[in-house]
């Protein structure tokens, strides 16, 4: 029996639109990472991929369309957290243009506030990386943050100029100490940001001071390092 082509076209078009409307909207990697952080904040540092998927409003197969495996998602969470921790170090010239005492206090305070906002994310990342060589989901938070810190410090040192030999060791030492002490600090029933800053400040400045002294520079923590270097090297004042 002959059918009206217009009716057929309308039916096909309606069917196509209906199928398209039933397709769930795409979910980005960032949305899933946001959901994973909410799960960690709420449920603690031992989550499941199912919980991440439910929080993101998707199925686990759809989650794995954005992330190749558990390790890929863990790395994305770690990168987000590392970016946040790294941002607390301030701009490239923070430590040069401010007295070290003020610059270190500001960076540590911002860091502590960020940690207290997401303590379970910190615990999750440090637990997945500690003593689990080759384990699925391993993420080396210390290495990630230290690498970025060293890169920035090297740029600053080269611009002064200052011998940057060994800067990677300094960066890893500072970050390693901060992560270990953060874990200790969070073990308190009520972690206090001011106490963390006061206890860690001395150690961080001690390592920076030792690095500078190794290059023949005696710095006053109450005077910007840029001023100290300019007094030692008139050319530094022109940078």
């Amino acid at each position: 029996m002959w059918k009206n082509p217009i009716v057929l076209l309308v039916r096909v078009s309606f069917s196509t639109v209906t199928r398209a409307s039933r397709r769930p909207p795409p979910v980005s990697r960032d949305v899933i990472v946001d959901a994973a952080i909410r799960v960690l904040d709420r449920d603690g540092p031992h989550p499941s991929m199912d919980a991440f998927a439910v929080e993101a409003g998707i199925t686990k197969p759809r989650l794995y369309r954005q992330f190749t495996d558990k390790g890929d998602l863990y790395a994305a969470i770690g990168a987000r957290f590392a970016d946040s921790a790294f941002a607390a170090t301030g701009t490239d010239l923070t430590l040069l243009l401010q007295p070290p005492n003020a610059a270190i206090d500001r960076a540590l305070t911002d860091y502590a506030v960020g940690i207290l906002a997401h303590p379970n994310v910190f615990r999750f990342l440090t637990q997945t990386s500690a003593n689990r060589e080759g384990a699925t989901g391993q993420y080396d938070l210390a290495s990630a943050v230290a690498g970025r810190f060293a890169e920035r410090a090297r740029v600053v040192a080269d611009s002064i100029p200052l011998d940057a030999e060994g800067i990677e060791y300094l960066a890893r030492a500072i970050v390693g100490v901060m992560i270990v002490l953060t874990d200790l600090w969070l073990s308190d029933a009520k972690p206090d940001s001011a106490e963390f800053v006061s206890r860690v400040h001395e150690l961080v400045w001690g390592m920076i001071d030792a690095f500078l002294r190794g290059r023949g520079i005696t710095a006053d923590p109450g005077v910007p390092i840029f001023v100290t270097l300019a007094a030692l090297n008139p050319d530094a004042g022109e940078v």
Side-chain angles (χ1 to χ4, degrees):
M1 182 178 180
W2 182 85
K3 295 183 179 181
N4 190 326
I6 296 178
V7 174
L8 289 174
L9 178 61
V10 170
R11 287 179 179 174
V12 171
S13 299
F14 179 76
S15 177
T16 302
V17 171
T18 301
R19 287 196 301 270
S21 64
R22 291 175 182 170
R23 295 173 185 167
V27 176
S28 68
R29 287 171 63 97
D30 284 341
V31 168
I32 296 173
V33 170
D34 289 340
I37 290 174
R38 290 195 299 271
V39 170
L40 291 166
D41 288 341
R42 182 185 67 229
D43 300 338
H46 303 289
S48 68
M49 297 297 281
D50 287 318
F52 290 159
V54 169
E55 183 66 26
I58 58 176
T59 62
K60 194 157 68 169
R62 287 189 65 205
L63 184 151
Y64 282 117
R65 291 174 191 168
Q66 291 291 343
F67 296 93
T68 55
D69 55 24
K70 182 186 295 185
D72 189 19
L73 175 56
Y74 285 13
I77 297 170
R80 174 79 66 83
F81 194 80
D83 287 342
S84 175
F86 182 59
T89 62
T91 61
D92 288 350
L93 298 180
T94 295
L95 192 58
L96 290 175
L97 300 181
Q98 293 184 10
N101 276 340
I104 292 171
D105 272 354
R106 193 187 80 176
L108 290 177
T109 298
D110 290 347
Y111 170 82
V113 169
I115 291 292
L116 287 181
H118 303 285
N120 283 331
V121 178
F122 172 83
R123 294 186 180 105
F124 166 73
L125 292 172
T126 53
Q127 289 174 12
T128 57
S129 62
N131 301 318
R132 293 183 58 187
E133 184 176 356
T136 300
Q138 182 179 10
Y139 182 80
D140 193 339
L141 179 64
S143 179
V145 177
R148 301 179 193 199
F149 184 75
E151 182 180 357
R152 175 174 290 178
R154 182 174 289 281
V155 170
V156 173
D158 290 345
S159 69
I160 295 174
L162 174 68
D163 179 11
E165 181 67 27
I167 198 79
E168 293 83 3
Y169 288 88
L170 173 65
R172 188 60 183 258
I174 290 174
V175 173
V177 164
M178 287 180 62
I179 287 179
V180 170
L181 294 183
T182 298
D183 186 61
L184 175 63
W185 171 55
L186 289 178
S187 67
D188 292 342
K190 294 183 178 180
D192 179 71
S193 297
E195 180 183 7
F196 176 82
V197 172
S198 66
R199 292 186 181 278
V200 178
H201 178 121
E202 182 179 1
L203 295 172
V204 170
W205 170 245
M207 287 183 281
I208 295 174
D209 185 44
F211 180 81
L212 293 174
R213 287 180 182 275
R215 282 139 189 82
I217 300 171
T218 302
D220 183 339
V223 176
I225 293 178
F226 182 79
V227 174
T228 300
L229 294 172
L232 296 174
N233 179 13
D235 292 337
E238 300 175 2
V239 179

